[in-house]
Amino acid sequence: MGYRSLTDCVEDLKRTGQLVVIDREVDPRLEAAAIQRRVYEAGGPALLFPRVKGTAFPMVGNLFGTMDRTHYIFRDTLEAVRHLVELKVKPPAALARPWHYRDVPFTALHLLPQKVRRGPILAHKTTLSRLPQVVSWPDDGGAFVTLPQVYTEDPDHPGLAKSNLGMYRVQISGNHYEADRESGLHYQLHRGIGVHHSAAIRRGVPLRATVFVGGPPAMSVAAVMPLPEGLPELSFAGALGGRRVRMVVDPQGGLPIPAEADFAIVGRIDPDLRKPEGPFGDHLGYYAKTHDFPVLKVERVYHRPDAIWPFTSVGRPPQEDTSFGELIHELTGPLVPTVLPGIHAVHAVDAAGVHPLLLAIGSERYVPYAEVRRPQELLTSANAILGQGQMSLAKYLMIVAREDKPDLDIHDIPGFLRHVLERVDWTTDLHFQTRTTIDTLDYSGHGFNQGSKVVIAAAGPKRRSLPTEVPSGLQLPDGFGDPRVALPGILTVRGPGYRLDESGSDPALRAFCRSFHEADPIATFPMVVVVDDSEFAARSGRNFLWVTFTRSNPAADIDGVGAFCHQKHWGCNGPLVIDARIKPHHAPPLVDDPEIERRVDSLGAPGGPLHGII
């Protein structure tokens, strides 16, 4: 049976040696987040901060910091949830192996939330300013709830059945928000809350919303799960948590609240009110800039007697939210072929910022009698992928045919890139979508939430061997230098500072591409990436992925040697060139505060609570 409350989980982790208590005062401004990030990087334990500056509430962080601990937290239910997913994929499986799926009926009993009259969450009230004021990065615009569960119901169809529980950004102080009366609510329009908000605007009424914080760990996971229409997140939380979610009625007329939540921020979203929200250090590794977003008019804040404030810190991946992504893949990966026929696997690359780079394995079964396989069905499948939920935010989609290498591991990023670059034909295999939507948090495009996409579809036999060393005799144009091999077949080159001219592109990059021909030594590399610091970009695969795919907008920043455009199809006869330099319109990258880092170092010194951990 899963944990009834967050306190139960914390006590169990403490008892089993999977949690460390930091028994000294910790500042929620920068220090707590810096500690959490450092311990996460070390693969360390969960962290309990009983003495938090400026608040009476303890905080817990790094709960999901390792996959082993995440599996432990859901050890009693994961197998049954997997079985539910398997039956969704192959319903007859239960008839063939009834004993194997014997846990499914019991799990199904937990899907329906339970309405109750009383619950610990209603025991006390507080205010926003008395909550832990967690600030993760030096230039954040204020304090944020970093593990929120934002609950709304459809104004056209009120009730739990059409409810939405999502993890959207919640700013509780700073900017122009009225202290204790307003908080910022940042979400993307295609998310479930956006549908509810649109319905409220159409009706001309406020949208009631409640931000849950804490509660059983399954609630946090449910808030980030990409669930199909018709399956409320509260139902999933019941299945993963091993017990029905108990929902109590707000006695003052708000939406129902999980009885075991630690905190609940109750309010309403005015149809017309917007205020600046941000900046905020986000999961791409940069600051999300300040923009106008909806405002939650806060009416009251509840908390339970033993309330603990859970938090995390997001930033350049991997971070703790990586565990959410891996768990989501574990549970929903088998559903991909049922939602996207012809697709066998999809992987959002965490090190590239998740949304910027998608990898996919499909089938290429069109014209089976053809002597040479080329992308056809893969293109149909690629369009389907880019039409699905959060996958629609991708900028780069690389898709290959399973028939070319049945044992290709989609999670082996260097191996996947090698497979693509050995087969891709830059004259035919690039397919752009221009003037479209990208992630709101991605500032590489031509406007807010605006950018482009490219599909790189590769199929057929190996057409080239990939170089692993800088070729002798390589001559680079003035202003370019320090060539380094990042991965087989990929050369990084340091370029001059980015400059835009009246043509809408950088003249130095144009000159770089035009200075080579197909017989030059550089042409042995199918991909060249121009960067600000080639040593940094080539130092690790993680660095290469982050720099290349978070700092480029395909339609604007892809060029090539021997480039051409024929019947509106763009391609190149030589290497593909990606401009991954920082541009003036990009958001600034996240940088640690040196003084805070020294304070974290002291915790890891001999005698410190984190000695031997960091």
Side-chain angles (χ1 to χ4, degrees):
M1 189 69 75
Y3 301 111
R4 182 178 294 277
S5 67
L6 178 59
T7 298
D8 288 348
C9 177
V10 167
E11 291 300 323
D12 183 41
L13 294 179
K14 186 190 303 182
R15 185 171 57 253
T16 55
Q18 300 181 74
L19 180 143
V20 166
V21 179
I22 309 296
D23 197 15
R24 63 177 67 177
E25 186 178 70
V26 171
D27 195 332
R29 176 176 173 78
L30 304 182
E31 186 179 17
I35 294 170
Q36 186 269 319
R37 290 194 298 270
R38 189 81 71 83
V39 173
Y40 169 81
E41 187 176 3
L47 302 164
L48 182 65
F49 303 95
R51 298 164 55 196
V52 180
K53 185 177 180 180
T55 182
F57 300 108
M59 302 197 314
V60 65
N62 212 41
L63 271 182
F64 306 101
T66 69
M67 283 308 296
D68 284 345
R69 187 158 60 251
T70 302
H71 287 147
Y72 177 84
I73 289 172
F74 302 114
R75 62 194 178 279
D76 295 331
T77 58
L78 271 181
E79 191 67 19
V81 172
R82 289 193 188 101
H83 289 165
L84 274 176
V85 173
E86 289 173 10
L87 291 182
K88 170 70 175 176
V89 177
K90 297 179 180 178
L95 298 177
R97 304 173 65 192
W99 184 251
H100 181 73
Y101 295 103
R102 64 190 182 279
D103 51 3
V104 169
F106 299 101
T107 301
L109 293 175
H110 302 143
L111 293 173
L112 185 64
Q114 179 184 7
K115 293 183 179 180
V116 297
R117 291 179 176 272
R118 292 180 294 275
I121 184 57
L122 299 178
H124 301 289
K125 288 183 181 179
T126 186
T127 61
L128 292 182
S129 58
R130 293 176 179 172
L131 300 175
Q133 302 295 298
V134 177
V135 178
S136 298
W137 297 97
D139 291 333
D140 280 358
F144 286 79
V145 185
T146 53
L147 284 176
Q149 308 153 31
V150 183
Y151 180 80
T152 57
E153 294 182 358
D154 188 340
D156 294 330
H157 306 281
L160 298 174
K162 297 287 185 179
S163 65
N164 178 76
L165 186 71
M167 193 168 284
Y168 313 119
R169 215 159 73 204
V170 178
Q171 183 174 349
I172 59 174
S173 68
N175 294 353
H176 302 293
Y177 299 118
E178 295 182 30
D180 290 326
R181 298 182 61 187
E182 293 180 339
S183 67
L185 196 56
H186 178 130
Y187 65 84
Q188 294 173 329
L189 293 177
H190 70 282
R191 307 296 289 273
I193 188 175
V195 176
H196 293 174
H197 196 185
S198 295
I201 291 173
R202 187 182 66 249
R203 287 172 164 261
V205 298
L207 176 67
R208 297 216 63 86
T210 301
V211 181
F212 313 144
V213 184
M219 293 288 290
S220 292
V221 176
V224 298
M225 284 296 294
L227 298 175
E229 289 294 327
L231 179 58
E233 287 81 7
L234 290 176
S235 294
F236 179 85
L240 186 62
R243 59 180 75 238
R244 296 171 68 184
V245 176
R246 300 168 65 239
M247 301 294 290
V248 63
V249 175
D250 183 345
Q252 293 187 242
L255 297 172
I257 303 171
E260 304 295 341
D262 286 73
F263 300 86
I265 303 170
V266 178
R268 67 190 188 281
I269 303 171
D270 188 286
D272 303 313
L273 183 60
R274 302 283 190 279
K275 285 192 175 183
E277 183 266 359
F280 178 75
D282 64 45
H283 68 267
L284 271 75
Y286 305 89
Y287 283 102
K289 299 178 183 179
T290 301
H291 298 282
D292 286 350
F293 273 95
V295 175
L296 181 70
K297 287 287 190 177
V298 176
E299 298 168 345
R300 52 198 168 275
V301 181
Y302 293 111
H303 72 89
R304 60 184 296 146
D306 54 351
I308 302 174
W309 185 265
F311 80 100
T312 190
S313 174
V314 295
R316 181 188 163 189
Q319 296 289 345
E320 185 180 2
D321 52 357
T322 298
S323 296
F324 286 142
E326 292 185 17
L327 187 63
I328 287 170
H329 174 77
E330 281 186 26
L331 296 176
T332 65
L335 285 174
V336 168
T338 67
V339 178
L340 299 167
I343 294 294
H344 307 288
V346 178
H347 177 47
V349 180
D350 187 72
V354 183
H355 296 314
L357 176 62
L358 278 184
L359 308 181
I361 298 175
S363 285
E364 191 50 74
R365 300 164 295 188
Y366 290 3
V367 198
Y369 49 80
E371 292 184 5
V372 178
R373 185 165 33 250
R374 61 187 179 88
Q376 295 182 86
E377 183 181 4
L378 292 183
L379 299 180
T380 302
S381 298
N383 286 328
I385 290 171
L386 293 177
Q388 290 290 323
Q390 293 192 57
M391 290 190 286
S392 67
L393 301 177
K395 292 188 302 185
Y396 290 82
L397 168 58
M398 298 184 182
I399 184 168
V400 300
R402 184 173 67 172
E403 292 77 7
D404 293 327
K405 190 174 183 181
D407 62 344
L408 181 64
D409 182 358
I410 200 169
H411 297 283
D412 175 8
I413 311 302
F416 192 97
L417 293 177
R418 176 189 285 271
H419 180 89
V420 170
L421 294 177
E422 287 175 340
R423 288 164 176 78
V424 70
D425 181 349
W426 297 131
T427 67
T428 61
D429 295 346
L430 291 162
H431 306 273
F432 289 89
Q433 292 183 15
T434 62
R435 301 285 174 176
T436 186
T437 56
I438 59 174
D439 192 346
T440 300
L441 305 178
D442 190 331
Y443 291 90
S444 66
H446 56 270
F448 183 56
N449 203 45
Q450 300 173 54
S452 62
K453 307 179 188 301
V454 65
V455 173
I456 300 173
K462 176 179 173 180
R463 64 173 58 240
R464 66 177 65 85
S465 295
L466 303 180
T468 57
E469 296 181 354
V470 177
S472 61
L474 175 63
Q475 297 292 321
L476 297 175
D478 290 345
F480 295 84
D482 197 15
R484 295 175 183 256
V485 177
L487 290 167
I490 302 176
L491 187 72
T492 60
V493 174
R494 186 194 68 237
Y498 178 83
R499 180 170 66 88
L500 193 67
D501 67 10
E502 65 279 357
S503 71
S505 61
D506 178 25
L509 188 75
R510 293 200 308 271
F512 176 86
C513 294
R514 307 306 177 257
S515 66
F516 300 106
H517 54 76
E518 297 170 46
D520 281 327
I522 201 171
T524 60
F525 285 84
M527 181 179 288
V528 177
V529 184
V530 178
V531 296
D532 298 297
D533 184 344
S534 55
E535 188 281 325
F536 174 81
R539 189 184 305 163
S540 67
R542 177 180 174 230
N543 284 0
F544 167 76
L545 291 166
W546 182 61
V547 168
T548 302
F549 298 104
T550 65
R551 297 181 181 177
S552 61
N553 175 26
D557 297 325
I558 286 180
D559 206 329
V561 175
F564 66 88
C565 186
H566 178 66
Q567 295 181 349
K568 300 184 179 62
H569 176 82
W570 188 94
C572 58
N573 292 289
L576 187 78
V577 179
I578 300 176
D579 184 356
R581 292 172 293 172
I582 293 179
K583 284 85 174 175
H585 57 279
H586 287 185
L590 303 177
V591 179
D592 292 319
D593 182 295
E595 175 57 33
I596 295 295
E597 292 302 307
R598 284 191 286 271
R599 281 154 61 179
V600 178
D601 288 339
S602 69
L603 297 176
L610 297 179
H611 180 59
I613 296 174
I614 61 174

